[in-house]
Amino acid sequence: MRFDQQMAVGVEISALSVADSPRISGEDPEHVKALTVAQTELPPIIVHRATMRVIDGVHRLRAAMLCGHDKIAVRFFDGDEADAFVLAVESNIAHGLPLSLADRKRAAGRIIDSHPQWSDRIVASVTGIAPGTVAEIRRRRTGGLTAVSSRIGQDGRIRPVNGTEGRRLASEVIAENPTLSLRQIARAAGISPETARDVRNRLRRGEDPLPKPRGKGRVAARATAQVSTGKGFGTGTVPQRAPVQDRTATVERLKADPALRMSETGRTLLRLLAIHTVSAEEWEEIIDNIPPHCSNIVAHLAGECAGLWAEFALRVERRVAETV
């Protein structure tokens, strides 16, 4: 969805149409009045060439009309109407009068319908809401069913919606060529490198590549055992984790809690937790770029940090149990 950001042309205001806005409540008259007295030149508006509909800049258009102008500077967007709506949403969370949360959630639902192949993270980046919120909107709209077998991630890669099939393919790829890198396995099976790592570790341990349902507390118990015995770190095994988008959404909710963001210790905790919202691809890139002479030291420190977090989780859980 590209448009020429340099080329702006004067267009008759009477030739433009205003419809299909992502704003539920419509235009804000006060914002229009504020724009009429702006001391700096307002940027060109964006218009869908095929329909001459204003994609971004309705308030600027209304301000120009109030000032008695016949023409306004326009940059044209060439694309279909579904992509024009996406650009309208994306533009209105980046500058000007921001869309309300209700506007963004409504827009996310519409984008899910028009672009079902997009991942939750892509829709989230366009609409300015958490990936977990997008996932919930998708579940409500589709009833848990999906019309596509794979989705496009923010990195441009296509991954299966059903992780079971991707894991099965990965296990076959590994069996045929165990020397392949995680990136090669992930690309061949259409899964993330982190999932490929988990499949490979499972196969090495003689386990099924498909994770079995876990009861509550299983992961915490495993982490506690690793801390108490000093085992489990640096062995090449990776415990099951929640999807990064779920962690990101949880951290974002915590950031909105005044009890945390208004205290120094709370802000420190939020900064530490935010580290773990890094995507699997980013972790993989970090791993690939660790200098060989530092690898053992980094692995040792990572294991110690994991142990500290596991102990931290255990102590917090004990405190919760004591206060109940």
Side-chain angles (χ1 to χ4, degrees):
M1 293 182 292
R2 299 291 181 188
F3 63 96
D4 191 338
Q5 298 194 34
Q6 301 301 319
M7 180 65 69
V9 297
V11 174
E12 293 285 342
I13 289 177
S14 59
L16 303 175
S17 68
V18 176
D20 203 24
S21 170
R23 298 183 190 277
I24 298 173
S25 58
E27 301 151 29
D28 184 337
E30 292 302 318
H31 188 58
V32 173
K33 289 180 182 177
L35 293 177
T36 62
V37 297
Q39 299 298 310
T40 57
E41 183 179 355
L42 299 176
I45 65 174
I46 303 173
V47 172
H48 185 217
R49 193 191 300 272
T51 61
M52 295 300 286
R53 180 175 63 81
V54 177
I55 294 174
D56 177 44
V58 172
H59 289 97
R60 278 168 277 163
L61 175 66
R62 296 302 188 200
M65 295 170 67
L66 279 178
C67 293
H69 299 315
D70 296 323
K71 288 187 174 183
I72 189 169
V74 166
R75 291 192 180 113
F76 283 110
F77 168 74
D78 294 296
D80 61 28
E81 293 194 52
D83 284 344
F85 180 79
V86 171
L87 180 57
V89 175
E90 195 170 22
S91 300
N92 281 281
I93 66 169
H95 63 79
L97 186 66
L99 297 175
S100 69
L101 179 59
D103 291 335
R104 287 178 276 138
K105 286 184 175 181
R106 177 173 172 268
R110 178 167 167 178
I111 293 171
I112 287 169
D113 292 341
S114 64
H115 296 75
Q117 75 279 15
W118 281 7
S119 70
D120 293 339
R121 292 187 68 83
I122 292 183
V123 178
S125 68
V126 169
T127 56
I129 58 179
T133 302
V134 174
E136 180 57 32
I137 293 172
R138 191 190 298 271
R139 281 192 291 270
R140 289 201 303 265
R141 295 181 79 87
T142 64
L145 303 175
T146 178
V148 295
S149 59
S150 59
R151 294 195 187 123
I152 303 171
Q154 279 189 298
D155 57 2
R157 296 179 182 176
I158 299 175
R159 296 185 175 88
V161 174
N162 183 353
T164 299
E165 180 62 16
R167 283 175 172 271
R168 185 188 64 77
L169 288 173
S171 66
E172 293 178 358
V173 170
I174 294 170
E176 292 175 3
N177 194 340
T179 63
L180 289 178
S181 70
L182 291 175
R183 287 181 180 275
Q184 291 172 317
I185 297 167
R187 191 178 302 114
I191 57 178
S192 71
E194 187 174 4
T195 302
R197 185 194 302 279
D198 182 66
V199 171
R200 188 173 66 182
N201 288 335
R202 286 175 178 277
L203 292 175
R204 285 176 175 174
R205 298 192 298 267
E207 299 176 3
D208 193 306
L210 305 180
K212 292 180 171 56
R214 289 175 173 267
K216 292 184 178 180
R218 291 279 300 280
V219 174
R222 180 175 179 178
T224 302
Q226 289 171 330
V227 173
S228 61
T229 63
K231 299 179 180 179
F233 301 116
T235 62
T237 62
V238 180
Q240 277 297 105
R241 291 181 294 275
V244 64
Q245 55 264 37
D246 291 347
R247 292 199 301 276
T248 301
T250 302
V251 171
E252 288 302 316
R253 286 197 296 271
L254 288 175
K255 285 181 179 179
D257 190 332
L260 288 174
R261 59 186 175 87
M262 298 302 288
S263 71
E264 186 61 36
T265 55
R267 289 191 292 271
T268 299
L269 175 60
L270 291 174
R271 286 194 294 271
L272 291 170
L273 291 172
I275 294 172
H276 303 288
T277 60
V278 173
S279 69
E281 290 75 18
E282 290 173 300
W283 280 122
E284 193 66 29
E285 185 175 357
I286 291 170
I287 293 169
D288 288 347
N289 286 281
I290 297 174
H293 66 279
C294 299
S295 296
N296 287 336
I297 298 173
V298 171
H300 176 72
L301 287 173
E304 287 194 341
C305 291
L308 289 170
W309 271 116
E311 183 180 359
F312 175 84
L314 179 62
R315 292 179 64 182
V316 172
E317 287 181 348
R318 284 176 178 170
R319 182 181 175 187
V320 171
E322 290 169 358
T323 56
V324 172

